[in-house]
Amino acid sequence: MSTPTTVTCDTCGTPLPPTKQTRTSQARARYCSNACRQRSYRLRQRSGAMDTGLNGELLTQLSSFVGRTDELVELIRLLHEVRLLTLTGPAGVGKSRLALEVAGQEARRRRSEVSVVRLGAVTDADEARRRILDALGDEPAGGTAAASAPDRLLVLDDCDHVLYACGTVLTELLPGRPRLSVLATSREPLRLPGEAVFSMHGLALGAPEAVTSFTDNLRSDAVSLFMDRARAVAPDFRLSRENADDVAEICARLDGLPLPIEMAARLVRVFPPAELRSRLHDRLALLTNGWRLAEERHQSLRAALEWGYTLLRPAEQVLLRRLSILPGGFGLEAATAVTADLPGTAAALPELFIALEAKSVIVPHTGTSGGEPRFHMLESLQCFGRELLVAEGEEAATYERLTSWLTTMSLPLRSEAVVPFATLERLAGERVNLLHAVRRLGEGSDERQLLLTGALAAVEGARGRNAEVAGLVEHALEVATPDSAYRSVALEATALAAQGSEPDAAARRLDAAVREERRRGPSPLLGRLLFVRGTLRQALDQRRASVDDLEESLVIGLRSRHDTLVALSRGALARHRLEDGDPSTAERELGLAFTVLRDGVAPQLLSALLSTAGSLALEKGDLKRAEEHFTEALRCRAHHHRDAARALEGLTIVAIRGHRFERALRLLGVAERVREGACPESGWWRWQVGQARETALRAVPVGRAESWLKAGRAMPWRQALCLALGEDSAEPQDEAASHPLSRRERDVAALVVEGLTNRQIAARIHVSVRTVETHIRHIRTTLGLRSRAHIAAWAAQRRTDVSEASVPTATVALRRLLDPRQVLRGPSVGGGSVTPQLRGA
């Protein structure tokens, strides 16, 4: 019988009790106590022989960590509340890096012993299990010893392909180890009891609906990461007003994902930002410069996407390919259309959507509110999916199904006298997909591009942006067959696009559309074309021709029993009656029109009728009623300021007649700016506005009047809208929106001016010291500052929101920091404080 081997502590040599001699002890370091474990760690660290294995992984990263401040704070909070936390997100979003940053913070604060298990290269479930158990070592399981053991954080990185193995071993480990917490990274959740899921998205970008400014780019985490990595390879590279938009567009088109942004940034040695931006259509071939020693799936963008694609089920792979041709997002209806050739797919789509969302392939659309839920796919994944679609020979058939579906949706433009508002809403939801389909059809002579460009123009017209699609419609008219039934729709679209800037050209287009449609006999579309031409002729003061068109449109509406067309024609004729000095007839016609148009009509059509009602109330001297009508008309077009000129002018006249001259002249300034490029108005209305303007200028001193007009012309649209509608926030906003730093970063910079340490700042604003360090690092990156002293000087110089009592303190700090007689000592590198020390020369 062999004598059992005596196992001793690796640090002090003390024999270990039998309970610590496990079957796998020979493969791991062994210690008699936590004190010996820590002593061994410090000895290895001093000697430079730090173990980079699973138990002692070096958590300090070689590259800087940019952004994710809020995520760091939230993850650390969650780790103290749950025992299993999974970071999910698409390829390249930075799951592993964020998990290691969290683990590093926990280790540096000595809150937990940290072990990291990298599973990316593991291909066998048994191997994954062994690595996890090895990482935990001989930690006791169950009983009093387990309860008294130190807190332990286990990081499982890249669990995607071994989810079942990880789930099995964690189900065994967690109940018996109450001090163990697990932080996992995966593209989909582990789906275990007690699991909390934290979904990651791309780094923060500029507001998509706002006009991006240079300071907006400075505040973008994605741009900050790009600049940090670009300077690493090109130290002289700087963000300037000339390249800021290109850099921001690169980051946006890469969805704010750190991995492709880093790859793109490292190419600035070869390509300037403008060239990089132009080459992003071929990003899968461009972004192949991952870190040399990184895992193979992180060597290129294509490899990262292929890794996730291979983990999908066949049905999910097919759906990914089909959905990739929908850059504007999609719901179940669009997905059904592009998969119509696959039997049984329609019934399985809800389940497939749930699976693809869980695996970070599709993302719920943040703008969805009620109605059918919508999703979108990241642009890089779309490029990858379309490449696979071509490789599988499915591209042509899938695009044909998309085109047929959009054509069917657009048919009311050809068949209806007035396009239902619900149809316009559906088309608006597919606006980007419409544009994508139109551009693809533009490569040939397919007549459907006439209808689809018309639909796109109708959508853009509802948004107040007709001119943007004029070129596409003109191209469709040139290449499509001349005898197409959709030609009238396209001609109408070009007329609507040109009516603001070139009303005479718009009239010629409408003449051609009417001639085209008359050849087919009286139809609902002919009635609509006559109505549109009649309103344009009215604006051009072609009064007799306008009345003829509107009366014929009314007759077509009555014959076809199309109540909406009848109501619109009556409303336009009512304005003629009003301008001809017959308010009684105008009021009667308006009353008949309103009974139909109050419900279910497009807002832009209702807006014109309300403006006519407001003009009628002005003629009758009822200022209160006039203001109500003009205000409601403005609300109908609140987001399309070019179509709001008449309502603004009406409110201006109301204010002048009510002797509210400051409001009136500010509104008039807004209206004069908005009127540029808007559809023209009749001479009668121009005379009304001109008379009101002269009245206001006579009643107010010239200098004051010019000041108010100038203020109105310069007023941002949102602020002007608040003024016109009598809502709050009509006063100028503070400068915070244009500040290069976030509010929290400004708070930190202000406290740096006061000379507080990081620990003191953390206590003051109730965050961790590490969070303060992250804020300061981001401030330096954003502003291009080299030290904490420069932050203090910058903050003191820009500090405009302090009280008068605190100004001397800020001024003194600024003078001290900028005094050439002062010598800066470098910031300390240890501990939490990096406050600069000043001493006399």
Side-chain angles (χ1 to χ4, degrees):
M1 183 174 182
S2 61
T3 304
T5 304
T6 301
V7 181
T8 60
C9 175
D10 286 0
T11 301
C12 67
T14 303
L16 296 178
T19 56
K20 288 189 175 284
Q21 299 179 31
T22 63
R23 287 182 302 170
T24 57
S25 291
Q26 298 296 332
R28 297 193 305 274
R30 299 163 297 277
Y31 309 100
C32 65
S33 65
N34 282 330
C36 281
R37 187 189 302 274
Q38 292 297 325
R39 192 177 302 117
S40 174
Y41 175 87
R42 287 193 292 271
L43 287 171
R44 286 182 288 121
Q45 193 176 36
R46 283 196 209 102
S47 66
M50 169 63 79
D51 179 18
T52 58
L54 298 176
N55 287 329
E57 177 145 355
L58 185 61
L59 294 174
T60 300
Q61 303 296 305
L62 297 179
S63 59
S64 59
F65 184 75
V66 179
R68 303 289 193 202
T69 304
D70 294 337
E71 289 94 330
L72 272 173
V73 174
E74 180 65 12
L75 284 174
I76 292 174
R77 183 189 68 80
L78 285 172
L79 273 176
H80 297 156
E81 296 179 358
V82 300
R83 297 186 57 207
L84 174 57
L85 177 61
T86 304
L87 293 183
T88 64
V93 78
K95 300 183 291 294
S96 298
R97 183 58 193 277
L98 181 58
L100 291 177
E101 193 71 18
V102 171
Q105 289 201 21
E106 290 293 288
R108 285 190 289 272
R109 293 172 184 173
R110 300 181 181 177
R111 291 179 175 175
S112 305
E113 292 185 6
V114 178
S115 297
V116 179
V117 181
R118 296 186 184 275
L119 299 170
V122 174
T123 57
D124 181 71
D126 291 335
E127 174 68 11
R129 178 185 179 86
R130 187 188 67 77
R131 289 200 180 196
I132 294 171
L133 292 175
D134 284 351
L136 291 177
D138 51 6
E139 180 178 329
T144 307
S148 61
D151 289 342
R152 190 73 173 267
L153 174 62
L154 176 64
V155 178
L156 300 182
D157 190 27
D158 295 329
C159 303
D160 313 65
H161 57 305
V162 285
L163 288 173
Y164 187 81
C166 291
T168 302
V169 70
L170 291 180
T171 302
E172 298 172 3
L173 290 173
L174 288 172
R177 290 173 168 80
R179 309 305 293 271
L180 173 65
S181 297
V182 178
L183 177 61
T185 68
S186 171
R187 299 190 194 187
E188 62 177 306
L190 297 172
R191 291 167 58 187
L192 297 179
E195 177 187 24
V197 179
F198 188 94
S199 297
M200 290 182 62
H201 305 285
L203 291 170
L205 302 163
E209 297 299 327
V211 178
T212 304
S213 66
F214 183 63
T215 52
D216 290 332
N217 292 327
L218 286 175
R219 294 164 59 183
S220 164
D221 286 340
V223 172
S224 296
L225 177 65
F226 184 97
M227 296 305 300
D228 183 85
R229 301 306 190 252
R231 287 172 182 164
V233 297
D236 294 335
F237 183 71
R238 292 290 181 271
L239 190 69
S240 64
R241 296 188 183 278
E242 290 71 30
N243 65 22
D245 288 343
D246 291 322
V247 171
E249 179 68 13
I250 290 169
C251 294
R253 292 190 57 191
L254 294 176
D255 309 298
L257 298 180
L259 179 65
I261 287 176
E262 289 186 347
M263 291 181 183
R266 290 196 290 271
L267 293 176
V268 297
R269 287 171 57 91
V270 181
F271 300 118
E275 180 72 11
L276 272 176
R277 177 180 179 175
S278 68
R279 290 178 176 270
L280 284 182
H281 67 280
D282 194 22
R283 68 190 67 188
L284 297 179
L286 181 70
L287 303 180
T288 59
N289 55 333
W291 299 119
R292 189 183 303 278
L293 299 181
E295 293 182 14
E296 184 178 352
R297 60 195 176 90
H298 288 155
Q299 293 283 352
S300 68
L301 179 59
R302 176 182 276 109
L305 297 173
E306 284 177 345
W307 166 267
Y309 181 76
T310 58
L311 298 177
L312 299 178
R313 293 179 295 159
E316 295 166 353
Q317 292 178 343
V318 172
L319 187 56
L320 183 154
R321 296 196 300 267
R322 300 295 179 88
L323 295 178
S324 68
I325 69 167
L326 297 166
F330 44 83
L332 289 173
E333 186 182 2
T336 302
V338 297
T339 58
D341 61 315
L342 303 175
T345 301
L349 276 177
E351 179 186 351
L352 290 172
F353 268 47
I354 293 171
L356 290 181
E357 191 278 331
K359 295 177 181 179
S360 305
V361 175
I362 61 176
V363 183
H365 204 292
T366 54
T368 302
S369 58
E372 183 189 46
R374 287 185 69 83
F375 301 83
H376 69 274
M377 190 181 293
L378 299 183
E379 187 173 336
S380 295
L381 197 51
Q382 291 172 25
C383 295
F384 178 69
R386 285 198 291 270
E387 185 179 272
L388 293 173
L389 198 69
V390 173
E392 295 290 333
E394 302 170 332
E395 183 187 32
T398 304
Y399 270 106
E400 173 59 29
R401 281 185 285 274
L402 172 63
T403 303
S404 298
W405 176 62
L406 291 174
T407 300
T408 302
M409 191 186 305
S410 304
L411 282 176
L413 274 80
R414 178 68 189 84
S415 60
E416 296 285 343
V418 178
V419 182
F421 185 56
T423 298
L424 290 176
E425 287 286 282
R426 286 184 67 202
L427 290 171
E430 305 298 336
R431 183 180 67 88
V432 178
N433 295 330
L434 261 174
L435 182 60
H436 184 61
V438 163
R439 285 174 174 164
R440 184 174 175 84
L441 282 179
E443 301 171 2
S445 58
D446 193 320
E447 69 169 357
R448 290 175 296 180
Q449 62 185 298
L450 292 168
L451 179 62
L452 295 185
T453 53
L456 187 59
V459 169
E460 294 295 276
R463 293 159 52 93
R465 297 164 59 179
N466 261 321
E468 295 190 9
V469 297
L472 293 172
V473 183
E474 291 289 353
H475 175 76
L477 287 168
E478 290 175 5
V479 301
T481 53
D483 58 344
S484 171
Y486 302 137
R487 196 169 187 82
S488 301
V489 176
L491 288 168
E492 179 193 22
T494 61
L496 293 174
Q499 64 179 351
S501 56
E502 301 177 89
D504 292 332
R508 289 194 294 272
R509 287 291 191 178
L510 284 172
D511 290 344
V514 170
R515 286 196 302 271
E516 186 80 21
E517 199 57 30
R518 281 195 190 281
R519 293 191 297 106
R520 295 179 171 82
S523 65
L525 176 56
L526 177 60
R528 183 173 84 232
L529 293 172
L530 289 168
F531 167 76
V532 173
R533 189 173 71 172
T535 54
L536 179 60
R537 284 176 166 177
Q538 183 181 23
L540 296 174
D541 286 325
Q542 300 171 6
R543 303 185 63 80
R544 185 63 261 167
S546 172
V547 170
D548 290 343
D549 280 346
L550 293 172
E551 287 181 343
E552 186 178 357
S553 172
L554 177 61
V555 169
I556 292 175
L558 290 170
R559 286 178 179 172
S560 61
R561 298 183 179 181
H562 200 295
D563 293 341
T564 304
L565 179 61
V566 170
L568 289 174
S569 301
R570 289 190 187 279
L573 287 169
R575 191 162 189 89
H576 273 291
R577 305 296 181 248
L578 176 62
E579 294 182 3
D580 290 340
D582 187 2
S584 299
T585 304
E587 186 171 14
R588 184 172 62 253
E589 296 284 0
L590 280 175
L592 293 172
F594 269 122
T595 57
V596 174
L597 291 185
R598 276 296 181 180
D599 298 315
V601 69
Q604 65 268 27
L605 300 178
L606 187 59
S607 177
L609 206 66
L610 288 165
S611 292
T612 300
S615 302
L616 177 61
L618 281 177
E619 285 295 292
K620 297 170 65 176
D622 190 344
L623 296 183
K624 181 179 178 180
R625 195 62 175 271
E627 186 168 20
E628 290 174 355
H629 287 313
F630 285 125
T631 298
E632 190 176 351
L634 184 60
R635 289 187 190 280
C636 289
R637 305 300 288 156
H639 301 295
H640 317 301
H641 57 272
R642 286 190 177 179
D643 293 343
R646 184 188 294 180
L648 285 169
E649 290 164 345
L651 289 171
T652 298
I653 296 173
V654 170
I656 290 173
R657 293 187 184 180
H659 305 290
R660 294 177 289 169
F661 295 112
E662 179 178 357
R663 167 181 167 81
L665 289 171
R666 287 181 183 272
L667 286 175
L668 184 58
V670 176
E672 288 176 350
R673 186 186 80 234
V674 169
R675 176 57 71 184
E676 298 174 3
C679 186
E681 285 289 353
S682 65
W684 177 85
W685 182 249
R686 294 197 301 272
W687 182 85
Q688 297 278 350
V689 176
Q691 287 294 104
R693 191 180 197 279
E694 291 298 321
T695 301
L697 293 177
R698 286 196 302 267
V700 178
V702 176
R704 187 176 300 174
E706 288 298 327
S707 174
W708 290 338
L709 282 170
K710 184 178 179 181
R713 294 189 191 103
M715 193 178 295
W717 173 246
R718 190 177 300 277
Q719 185 181 337
L721 190 62
C722 290
L723 173 65
L725 299 178
E727 298 175 351
D728 294 335
S729 72
E731 294 301 319
Q733 303 296 311
D734 58 29
E735 297 180 359
S738 62
H739 203 287
L741 302 180
S742 68
R743 179 174 295 278
R744 179 52 60 85
E745 289 165 352
R746 296 199 301 273
D747 292 341
V748 170
L751 293 173
V752 170
V753 172
E754 296 182 16
L756 300 185
T757 67
N758 284 4
R759 193 168 299 281
Q760 290 169 330
I761 294 173
R764 183 76 65 88
I765 62 178
H766 307 291
V767 298
S768 67
V769 176
R770 184 62 176 167
T771 300
V772 174
E773 294 173 0
T774 303
H775 281 312
I776 289 177
R777 184 167 62 246
H778 190 262
I779 292 170
R780 289 174 56 188
T781 302
T782 300
L783 301 177
L785 301 176
R786 294 191 300 174
S787 70
R788 187 187 185 93
H790 292 138
I791 293 175
W794 181 90
Q797 189 176 26
R798 287 288 301 268
R799 197 171 182 179
T800 58
D801 56 344
V802 296
S803 64
E804 290 187 6
S806 63
V807 168
T809 302
T811 304
V812 169
L814 176 62
R815 289 174 180 170
R816 287 186 64 196
L817 289 168
L818 299 182
D819 191 341
R821 295 173 299 175
Q822 304 292 332
V823 178
L824 288 175
R825 287 200 341 222
S828 61
V829 294
S833 173
V834 290
T835 305
Q837 304 296 319
L838 301 176
R839 64 181 181 181

